[in-house]
Amino acid sequence: LALVSQVRGKAPELKQAIVVEGAAQRRLGAFKYAREVLGERLATDPANTGALKELAKLELDVGNPEQAIEALSRLIATEERDVDAHLMRAKIAYQVLGGPDGLARAEQYLDVVVQKYDQVAGELLLPVLAHAAFVKGELGKLDEAIKLGERARGSDATYPPALFVLGRSYGLKGDTKAARAALERAATSAASRDSFYEPVVRGELARAQGADGDMTAAIRSFEQAIEYDPRGERAHFGLAALYVKGDKISQAMTMMARAMQN
């Protein structure tokens, strides 16, 4: 803020500095002032990409997902090839709004990118394919989800999100062998490329291993998921379910109690 204040004082015609100030104020939690600053930029350029993206993030920060989507839609109306804006809008729709409507809207937003802008998506194509595959899977369109997941795997055979959603889709379809193979590769890739995904990947792998009849491996995967994320309720309840299946009621109760405490 100190630096951008100097810039705005010496070069008031440099409009990008206004967006930078708005972004900094948003990150500090000064939402009212950030809105005013971004509004100043949008008053002279209503379709400014940087300002609209920051405004969308601000709306999301203050709990207005619909307004965040509206800001991104304004951007896309002018910059149709902005794949990042398409992806942001889809993630807000299904991760924040949620429910069947949120999933349906996310599917619509992502279909546009996959069908029209995949050639210009660059490094964002893999995330787009992974999110699109996940949304299709949640909507029960498993063949389409698998097709998208395989396309992503064909571009990068070690990309953890694509391998995760591919394994999840195969699992939902009942192909436990293919699900387990994809998720085992996802776990290995997550460990070496991005540990952020490791707990959720190992939790999904545990379910696939359990469906495949390998209870020992499933229990170990759930235990690893809990090691990486001790507050992960799904892993605790998943492990408890396996203990119940194996008549280990006391261990199951312990896991359920820990989950409830979390």
Side-chain angles (χ1 to χ4, degrees):
L1 282 173
L3 289 169
V4 81
S5 178
Q6 294 178 37
V7 172
R8 293 194 67 183
K10 295 178 180 179
E13 74 282 357
L14 190 62
K15 303 298 184 181
Q16 176 62 21
I18 301 176
V19 178
V20 173
E21 181 177 0
Q25 294 287 4
R26 179 186 71 80
R27 286 164 172 77
L28 286 173
F31 300 125
K32 183 176 183 294
Y33 189 74
R35 189 185 298 279
E36 292 174 356
V37 172
L38 294 170
E40 178 186 346
R41 181 70 183 95
L42 291 170
T44 58
D45 183 4
N48 182 264
T49 299
L52 284 170
K53 284 184 180 177
E54 281 300 326
L55 180 60
K57 294 175 183 177
L58 187 155
E59 297 289 10
L60 201 58
D61 286 342
V62 299
N64 297 327
E66 286 287 5
Q67 288 84 343
I69 289 175
E70 192 272 335
L72 292 167
S73 297
R74 285 165 54 192
L75 187 163
I76 292 167
T78 303
E79 298 288 342
E80 294 183 4
R81 295 158 67 93
D82 192 321
V83 174
D84 181 53
H86 283 280
L87 184 56
M88 284 177 63
R89 189 171 64 164
K91 289 165 70 176
I92 293 170
Y94 88 85
Q95 294 178 353
V96 182
L97 292 179
D101 180 63
L103 285 166
R105 290 168 69 177
E107 180 187 33
Q108 177 187 350
Y109 299 151
L110 292 165
D111 280 350
V112 171
V113 182
V114 173
Q115 294 166 10
K116 295 179 63 176
Y117 304 117
D118 58 331
Q119 297 300 314
V120 299
E123 64 182 13
L124 288 177
L125 180 59
L126 280 172
V128 166
L129 292 172
H131 283 285
F134 183 84
V135 168
K136 296 282 189 186
E138 291 298 293
L139 289 170
K141 301 178 181 180
L142 299 177
D143 289 335
E144 293 180 56
I146 289 170
K147 184 177 179 180
L148 289 165
E150 290 290 5
R151 180 178 172 185
R153 179 160 66 172
S155 297
D156 184 346
T158 64
Y159 184 57
L163 291 167
F164 163 76
V165 75
L166 186 59
R168 178 178 172 81
S169 299
Y170 276 125
L172 290 170
K173 195 173 183 181
D175 189 341
T176 56
K177 299 295 184 185
R180 183 172 178 175
L183 290 164
E184 286 174 347
R185 184 65 182 273
T188 301
S189 296
S192 60
R193 289 185 55 166
D194 194 341
S195 59
F196 173 81
Y197 295 103
E198 201 156 357
V200 69
V201 168
R202 290 199 178 276
E204 195 68 32
L205 172 59
R207 283 184 277 276
Q209 290 167 329
D212 197 32
D214 192 345
M215 294 302 168
T216 300
I219 288 172
R220 178 56 186 151
S221 291
F222 272 133
E223 289 174 343
Q224 289 176 317
I226 292 169
E227 287 175 15
Y228 294 120
D229 181 10
R231 299 183 65 82
E233 290 94 342
R234 288 188 178 185
H236 280 86
F237 280 120
L239 183 54
L242 289 183
Y243 282 143
V244 169
K245 192 172 184 178
D247 290 328
K248 298 178 179 180
I249 305 303
S250 61
Q251 292 97 318
M253 293 296 290
T254 298
M255 286 297 107
M256 293 169 70
R258 289 180 183 173
M260 295 301 291
Q261 288 171 358
N262 289 338

